[in-house]
Amino acid sequence: MALRPVQVNIKAVDDAAVGRFWAEALGWSAYRPGGTTYVGPSGGLVWPHPAAVCVDVVPVPEPKSATKNRVHLDLATTSAAHRTELISRLRTLGATPADVGQGDVPWTVLADPEGNEFCVLEPREIYRDTGPIAAVVVDCADPRAMARFWDEAIDWTAHEVTDDQASFRSAGGAGPYLEFLRTPGAKTVPDRVHLDLLPYPGDDKEAEVARLRALGATDLDLGQGDVPWTCLADPEGHEFCVLAPS
């Protein structure tokens, strides 16, 4: 048994507008299959996508607080010219510069129209074939501990585990990386961005949830009520959901 990351969940007051931003930012399409805005590769709605980790923008009534998200997206670029063009286009779409204490770094930190931070990376060989999302990045206190939990939680392969960083990617080597970076500060508020995981066809969702609890996940009540998915938190409190197979 194992789970696969299938989408990044982003909360927004105006999910349609934020969804359009991310569709344009990633060169994908925005779909409205229900009460959310789903952003995935163009050519028609495919869920779950076999390679990409897509974006699902979910409407909420509360705007983002001033607190920096502990989960964010890193966007890949293929050349210096591509990076310059992408940053310019993102600014035109409504992205704004963000200062999260990054100092003098070779990447650029921006925020989407509702303040969710993300990074536009300089070209890096490791991300040459990830698609537009290079990595889903999670701030944490102990990357090694996060690696132990997530290595058992999902079916992705660990690529690097050190005191400062842990990274995973799908066993097939497709799509983005999942990275845990040692970051000062502790998690204090629910995040606006989290991962959604999905069991494989034929697997028992409740058995998967029980397995995650045994690994150290805890139940999470965000006021979700009676829903078909299960909200959990990893050992450092990062929220994630286990979705019901369709």
Side-chain angles (χ1 to χ4, degrees):
M1 294 193 299
L3 294 160
R4 48 186 163 152
V6 292
Q7 62 193 29
V8 176
N9 184 299
I10 299 177
K11 296 180 176 66
V13 174
D14 188 342
D15 67 291
V18 172
R20 287 193 299 271
F21 169 85
W22 281 105
E24 294 287 345
L26 301 172
W28 288 354
S29 295
Y31 306 95
R32 298 278 294 178
T36 69
T37 301
Y38 181 77
V39 178
S42 301
L45 174 60
V46 176
W47 191 92
H49 196 276
V53 174
C54 299
V55 173
D56 193 36
V57 187
V58 177
V60 295
E62 308 85 5
K64 182 181 181 293
S65 71
T67 304
K68 173 184 176 289
N69 287 335
R70 300 281 289 180
V71 181
H72 71 266
L73 298 182
D74 279 353
L75 305 190
T77 61
T78 57
S79 67
H82 177 216
R83 178 174 175 272
T84 299
E85 181 279 326
L86 178 58
I87 291 170
S88 176
R89 183 161 54 85
L90 292 167
R91 294 291 302 273
T92 300
L93 292 170
T96 53
D99 185 353
V100 294
Q102 68 269 23
D104 185 16
V105 293
W107 58 89
T108 299
V109 183
L110 299 172
D112 74 12
E114 290 201 9
N116 298 299
E117 303 87 0
F118 65 96
C119 297
V120 180
L121 303 180
E122 73 284 5
R124 300 185 193 181
E125 178 63 20
I126 190 174
Y127 301 131
R128 62 182 172 79
D129 61 351
T130 59
I133 301 176
V136 181
V137 183
V138 183
D139 296 347
C140 69
D142 188 343
R144 289 189 183 277
M146 288 293 92
R148 288 192 293 271
F149 173 83
W150 285 95
D151 194 34
E152 295 290 338
I154 60 177
D155 68 343
W156 285 16
T157 301
H159 282 254
E160 178 183 12
V161 179
T162 70
D163 288 344
D164 294 319
Q165 175 176 332
S167 66
F168 294 83
R169 199 181 187 196
S170 71
Y177 287 79
L178 172 62
E179 299 177 350
F180 296 88
L181 301 184
R182 183 184 293 278
T183 307
K187 189 174 186 301
T188 57
V189 298
D191 213 273
R192 302 284 284 188
V193 183
H194 70 256
L195 270 179
D196 284 342
L197 311 180
L198 183 70
Y200 281 91
D203 285 350
D204 185 325
K205 171 181 167 287
E206 294 309 318
E208 286 292 322
V209 170
R211 185 176 66 83
L212 292 170
R213 291 187 184 116
L215 292 172
T218 52
D219 290 286
L220 193 63
D221 186 353
L222 298 171
Q224 65 268 21
D226 184 16
V227 292
W229 58 89
T230 300
C231 299
L232 298 170
D234 74 13
E236 283 199 14
H238 304 106
E239 301 92 347
F240 66 95
C241 293
V242 179
L243 306 179
S246 56

